[in-house]
């Protein structure tokens, strides 16, 4: 079966990662959580007291960062590793969420991450979620989706995720963080969060997870079927000449 790139962009906390992860599983594709890459970078900057106003220090730090994703059999899911250490839980904490948009607005950081992400998706067969996947990382992605959801619903869902990780955070604090990140992410000059012109909009506010996954899978399947038909037509018209 031919493989394509699925770009899933959108607002913070609207269910991108969960949807992308399940779609990748169903399609037998690799799932790449680009937000986790910015979060792991933020954690490194924090741990090493990197001055984010100093481009030289940033470039130096980036050259020391290795981010990898590994499937953990015992947990049945993929986790994020920073320089060989599992940082999955740490990067989801609020103190990282508070700083990650600032770090991801830095041009040096974006350039570095975009290059890594392009390398990861080179062989296709990936579902990549983020903010700039359909616009900057893979502007030629075969399927682009822009996800959104109502603010209060996003905050509530994020709170539930944190509770599952035994972190109790006030709903208003989460809502304020989501809104602040949306603002920074969509107004930065480099790779801002925006819908690609050819992206489908998926509003997950009142959709179940299964419905969101089905929506994406249907788009992927019809894209693949259409491209096979198109190739077949080309082949026939070539034989006719
Ligand atoms: O998807 P997330 O909430 O884990 O992402 C964390 C932050 O990373 C988000 O606030 C903006 C940034 N980000 C980005 O700038 N570009 C991406 N492709 C993915 C995430």
């Amino acid at each position: 079966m031919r493989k394509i790139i699925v770009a899933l962009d959108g607002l913070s906390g609207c269910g991108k990662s969960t949807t992308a992860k399940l779609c990748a599983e169903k399609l037998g594709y690799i799932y790449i959580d680009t937000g986790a890459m910015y979060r792991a970078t933020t954690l490194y900057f924090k741990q090493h007291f990197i001055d984010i106003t100093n481009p030289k220090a940033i470039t130096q730090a980036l050259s020391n960062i290795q981010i990898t994703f590994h499937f953990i059999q015992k947990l049945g899911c993929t986790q994020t590793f920073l320089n060989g250490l599992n940082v999955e839980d740490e990067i989801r904490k609020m103190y990282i969420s508070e700083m990650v948009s600032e770090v991801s607005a830095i041009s040096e950081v974006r350039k570095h991450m975009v290059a890594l992400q392009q390398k990861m998706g080179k062989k296709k067969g990936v579902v990549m979620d983020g903010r700039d996947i359909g616009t900057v990382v893979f502007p030629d992605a075969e399927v682009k989706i822009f996800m959104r959801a109502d603010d209060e619903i996003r905050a509530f869902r994020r709170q539930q995720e944190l509770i599952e990780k035994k972190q109790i955070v006030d709903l208003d604090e989460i809502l304020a963080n989501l809104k602040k990140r949306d603002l920074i992410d969509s107004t930065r000059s480099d790779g801002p969060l925006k819908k690609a012109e050819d992206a489908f909009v998926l509003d997950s506010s009142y959709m179940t997870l299964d419905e969101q996954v089905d929506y994406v899978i249907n788009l992927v399947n019809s894209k693949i079927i259409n491209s096979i038909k198109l190739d077949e037509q080309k082949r026939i018209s070539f034989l006719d000449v």
Side-chain angles (χ1 to χ4, degrees):
M1 194 60 163
R2 70 183 62 186
K3 297 202 163 191
I4 64 167
I5 292 176
V6 183
L8 231 149
D9 291 304
L11 303 173
S12 296
C14 62
K16 291 188 304 294
S17 317
T18 321
T19 306
K21 214 178 287 174
L22 280 172
C23 288
E25 239 174 75
K26 284 205 167 187
L27 293 164
Y29 281 19
I30 294 169
Y31 163 59
I32 298 163
D33 177 353
T34 64
M37 297 170 75
Y38 289 97
R39 285 174 180 271
T41 304
T42 304
L43 175 63
Y44 183 93
F45 281 14
K46 190 108 184 143
Q47 285 174 336
H48 293 81
F49 306 100
I50 305 300
D51 173 5
I52 61 168
T53 61
N54 179 346
K56 256 194 182 162
I58 290 168
T59 309
Q60 173 69 38
L62 288 170
S63 70
N64 292 327
I65 294 177
Q66 206 204 354
I67 299 164
T68 46
F69 297 105
H70 299 286
F71 185 78
I72 309 295
Q73 206 82 39
K74 204 168 60 182
L75 301 171
C77 62
T78 299
Q79 305 233 302
T80 314
F81 283 68
L82 170 63
N83 293 336
L85 278 183
N86 187 336
V87 291
E88 186 60 37
D89 286 344
E90 202 59 28
I91 61 171
R92 308 289 166 194
K93 292 188 176 164
M94 276 308 276
Y95 77 97
I96 296 294
S97 298
E98 288 294 347
M99 197 184 155
V100 64
S101 280
E102 248 178 290
V103 170
S104 49
I106 301 168
S107 281
E108 289 84 354
V109 172
R110 298 211 71 77
K111 215 185 275 169
H112 189 81
M113 293 300 145
V114 168
L116 285 178
Q117 290 152 10
Q118 288 172 336
K119 220 166 143 189
M120 290 172 168
K122 218 170 146 191
K123 292 187 182 156
K124 302 206 174 199
V126 293
V127 180
M128 200 174 271
D129 86 52
R131 306 293 187 285
D132 59 343
I133 311 304
T135 51
V136 177
V137 183
F138 288 114
D140 295 329
E142 288 84 350
V143 171
K144 296 182 189 178
I145 294 140
F146 189 85
M147 272 182 85
R148 68 161 313 278
D150 296 349
D151 294 350
E152 285 71 19
I153 292 176
R154 290 190 290 143
F156 178 74
R157 286 180 184 161
R158 186 46 61 93
Q159 191 185 41
Q160 297 304 305
E161 277 171 23
L162 289 168
I163 289 173
E164 276 170 31
K165 289 176 184 156
K166 305 203 170 28
Q167 294 175 51
I168 308 299
V169 186
D170 188 61
L171 199 64
D172 288 340
E173 191 186 334
I174 297 173
L175 188 59
N177 174 261
L178 290 178
K179 283 186 174 174
K180 185 181 142 201
R181 284 203 284 141
D182 287 346
L183 184 70
I184 301 177
D185 294 346
S186 54
T187 53
R188 66 180 172 229
S189 57
D190 202 352
L193 161 70
K194 80 169 183 226
K195 179 185 127 20
E197 270 178 28
D198 49 350
F200 292 89
V201 176
L202 171 57
D203 187 329
S204 71
S205 304
Y206 302 101
M207 284 172 89
T208 64
L209 183 56
D210 281 346
E211 286 169 341
Q212 294 165 43
V213 172
D214 285 349
Y215 177 88
V216 178
I217 299 283
N218 285 338
L219 281 179
V220 172
N221 286 339
S222 53
K223 189 76 200 185
I224 291 175
I225 290 166
N226 282 341
S227 78
I228 292 172
K229 276 188 190 158
L230 216 68
D231 285 355
E232 188 57 16
Q233 274 166 9
K234 273 189 210 154
R235 199 180 65 85
I236 293 168
S237 55
F238 176 75
L239 289 175
D240 279 350
V241 176

